[in-house]
Amino acid sequence: MSIRILAFNTATEACSVALLDKDKIYTKYKIIKQNSSNHILSLINELLQSNNIELIDINAIAFSIGPGSFTGIRIGIGVAQGLAFFRPIIMLGISTLETLAQGAWRTQGAMSVLTAIDARMGEIYWAKYSLDESNQWLMSEKEIVLPPKDILERIRVLDQKWSIAGNGWEVYPELYQENKLYLNPCVVKLPLAEDMLPLAKIAIKKGNFVKIENINPVYLRDKVIK
């Protein structure tokens, strides 16, 4: 029996849901101004109903643990906990920035990706990812939140071709205008749930599950930004 994975991402204004069923992927996506549990639950119900699947048929739930909107992350985790309550199901916390890197690979075949999400307050959620021989993303440093000038300093010391992903490049165009590094254009600006599915499959193979009571969101900073 093939595994069914339900993935959803509420960490940004891109509210998205994806379903892996018998090696086929089904998706729903919506841009929203203000995240709420009603939005994501509505998309989940629509996706499951359109494919004649009940929640009880789902084997694993993948959700974003951040970074991103504090409110969005909390909503996503709360929905995941609610869906998994009172039933045995695999729970998988997926990085928002790693999801962006996976999206760059899906759309461009990118193997080295600089991910940047607007963190507001003049800062950026940032990480560098490289795809290894086993198709797993490796970080050369931990995910971090920094002002654009500090990100630019890090970019200037790089010496290979990189692809870029995330809306941070659009919000802070000086990141690619003020350096001499060749950067492939940004195609994936917001994380999508469909790109969480390959990451979830790898997490399942490695046994990287999370208990419902031990989910730790990744905010990267203490100041609350909705």
Side-chain angles (χ1 to χ4, degrees):
M1 181 182 68
S2 59
I3 191 168
R4 288 192 177 100
I5 304 174
L6 175 67
F8 48 89
N9 196 305
T10 57
T12 67
E13 61 267 35
C15 186
S16 62
V17 181
L19 172 68
L20 176 66
D21 180 31
K22 299 178 181 178
D23 295 324
K24 292 184 178 180
I25 294 176
Y26 307 93
T27 65
K28 282 193 176 292
Y29 167 84
K30 187 176 183 180
I31 295 291
I32 56 176
K33 292 183 179 180
Q34 188 172 2
N35 221 322
S36 75
S37 57
N38 289 336
H39 285 121
I40 190 64
L41 287 172
S42 176
L43 287 180
I44 290 172
N45 288 333
E46 289 175 15
L47 186 63
L48 294 180
Q49 289 177 8
S50 63
N51 290 283
N52 296 315
I53 293 177
E54 300 287 340
L55 184 59
I56 197 172
D57 299 321
I58 300 298
N59 307 111
I61 292 177
F63 54 95
S64 177
I65 56 172
S69 159
F70 281 32
T71 299
I73 294 168
R74 289 195 299 268
I75 287 172
I77 291 175
V79 168
Q81 291 173 323
L83 294 177
F85 206 61
F86 292 132
R87 63 177 298 246
I89 192 168
I90 295 171
M91 300 284 284
L92 307 162
I94 307 295
S95 162
T96 309
L97 295 175
E98 188 175 3
T99 300
L100 282 174
Q102 184 67 32
W105 182 88
R106 174 177 57 83
T107 56
Q108 298 174 291
M111 299 184 69
S112 297
V113 187
L114 304 177
T115 60
I117 294 179
D118 178 24
R120 303 184 186 179
M121 296 179 64
E123 293 183 318
I124 298 167
Y125 296 124
W126 169 264
K128 296 187 296 182
Y129 283 96
S130 297
L131 199 65
D132 68 11
E133 295 179 354
S134 61
N135 292 324
Q136 297 185 51
W137 292 103
L138 301 177
M139 284 190 296
S140 56
E141 58 188 18
K142 292 183 178 180
E143 297 177 344
I144 195 170
V145 58
L146 291 170
K149 62 180 183 63
D150 291 347
I151 299 295
L152 191 54
E153 290 179 4
R154 292 173 180 237
I155 295 174
R156 285 172 175 161
V157 301
L158 300 177
D159 59 2
Q160 67 184 75
K161 183 186 294 185
W162 292 82
S163 294
I164 60 178
N167 64 0
W169 302 93
E170 183 177 56
V171 176
Y172 299 99
E174 63 268 27
L175 293 180
Y176 56 82
Q177 291 175 348
E178 298 180 14
N179 72 80
K180 298 180 180 180
L181 185 68
Y182 179 82
L183 300 173
N184 287 324
C186 182
V187 174
V188 179
K189 297 181 180 180
L190 295 172
L192 296 177
E194 63 183 292
D195 295 315
M196 298 170 68
L197 293 173
L199 305 177
K201 290 174 67 176
I202 291 174
I204 289 173
K205 288 182 180 179
K206 296 173 68 173
N208 290 341
F209 312 146
V210 59
K211 292 183 179 180
I212 190 171
E213 67 274 14
N214 294 333
I215 298 174
N216 293 315
V218 177
Y219 293 135
L220 295 185
R221 70 179 177 201
D222 297 328
K223 295 180 181 179
V224 175
I225 296 294
K226 297 181 179 180

